[in-house]
Amino acid sequence: MTGDRRKFRREGEERRREALMAATLELVAEGGTAAATTRAIADRAGVTAGLVGHYFASKEDLTRAAFGELMVRFSDLSLQAAEAAGGDPLARLAAYVAASFRPPVLEPTRISLWAGFINLIRHDPEMLAIHRATYLRYRDQLQALIMALPGFADPVRARPLAIACNAVIDGLWMEGGLLPDAFGAGELERLGLRSVGAILGLRLEEEA
């Protein structure tokens, strides 16, 4: 019974942490980081302001945790899409790229969140460290998928290709989120697959 109570308490605490991070992201998306005050976060999460300090040392720590959770989620969603595509390396890469141009990765609120965090990344070394780690997480996943392709196993060759492909994906993702009405249905996905395929000398669009 004691073990069950401890497990229940841990699960409850984890849900509260997740609720606080989710509330932080919602507020940043709506009004930037200035809107994510401790009281506003607590109200949105349905807890008292004092309880925020029980889970996070400061509002800054909560903001960093929420940002890290957001960015990890992006790469996890893309990786899940690749894994669902089966064992063919080309199909897995195509699915990974395509996921960046489909909901829930490509949504206007995601761009609002990214824009809200940019200034913090530039001025907070810990936020910069989180950004660096999550950027490398995504790029390393992309590089691993490229290296799984026939003829691409050399990491010296695959690394600059992954950097270039990642830059194309980021650019199209940002424009698609800022100007969703400027692109037709599925257009960004086709452009992303075609552009990444052109960098690699492959026809990814047919695999998606």
Side-chain angles (χ1 to χ4, degrees):
M1 291 296 292
T2 301
D4 290 341
R5 285 198 298 271
R6 287 176 179 171
K7 180 180 179 182
F8 180 77
R9 185 170 62 250
R10 285 196 302 270
E11 289 175 346
E13 290 182 347
E14 187 59 31
R15 282 196 297 272
R16 289 194 187 96
R17 282 179 58 87
E18 291 172 356
L20 289 168
M21 288 189 288
T24 302
L25 294 175
E26 289 174 8
L27 289 163
V28 172
E30 293 169 8
T33 53
T37 65
T38 300
R39 181 161 296 281
I41 293 168
D43 288 346
R44 183 66 62 94
V47 300
T48 63
L51 195 61
V52 175
H54 176 73
Y55 295 101
F56 299 94
S58 65
K59 193 199 81 168
E60 289 72 25
D61 281 345
L62 170 53
T63 302
R64 293 170 188 137
F67 173 65
E69 175 70 16
L70 172 73
M71 301 310 293
V72 167
R73 196 182 307 157
F74 282 167
S75 59
D76 283 352
L77 288 167
S78 296
L79 189 60
Q80 288 167 16
E83 291 173 347
D88 180 69
L90 197 59
R92 287 170 62 85
L93 176 60
Y96 189 86
V97 173
S100 293
F101 306 109
R102 299 172 179 171
V105 178
L106 179 61
E107 290 179 343
T109 55
R110 305 295 189 185
I111 299 296
S112 298
L113 279 168
W114 174 246
F117 285 122
I118 283 177
N119 194 53
L120 291 181
I121 293 169
R122 292 180 61 244
H123 295 95
D124 183 339
E126 292 187 47
M127 286 287 284
L128 180 61
I130 294 169
H131 171 65
R132 180 180 292 110
T134 52
Y135 162 75
L136 291 174
R137 176 190 177 93
Y138 184 92
R139 199 188 77 191
D140 288 349
Q141 289 175 355
L142 187 56
Q143 181 173 330
L145 289 166
I146 292 172
M147 290 177 64
L149 298 168
F152 287 83
D154 181 5
V156 175
R157 180 190 180 197
R159 181 178 180 274
L161 291 173
I163 292 172
C165 291
N166 183 71
V168 167
I169 293 169
D170 277 354
L172 288 173
W173 175 80
M174 188 172 298
E175 291 301 332
L178 289 171
L179 299 170
D181 296 335
F183 303 93
E187 184 177 7
L188 276 173
E189 182 179 325
R190 292 191 298 272
L191 285 170
L193 289 164
R194 198 175 303 156
S195 299
V196 171
I199 292 171
L200 301 174
L202 301 169
R203 298 183 64 86
L204 284 185
E205 194 174 354
E206 297 174 358
E207 297 295 327

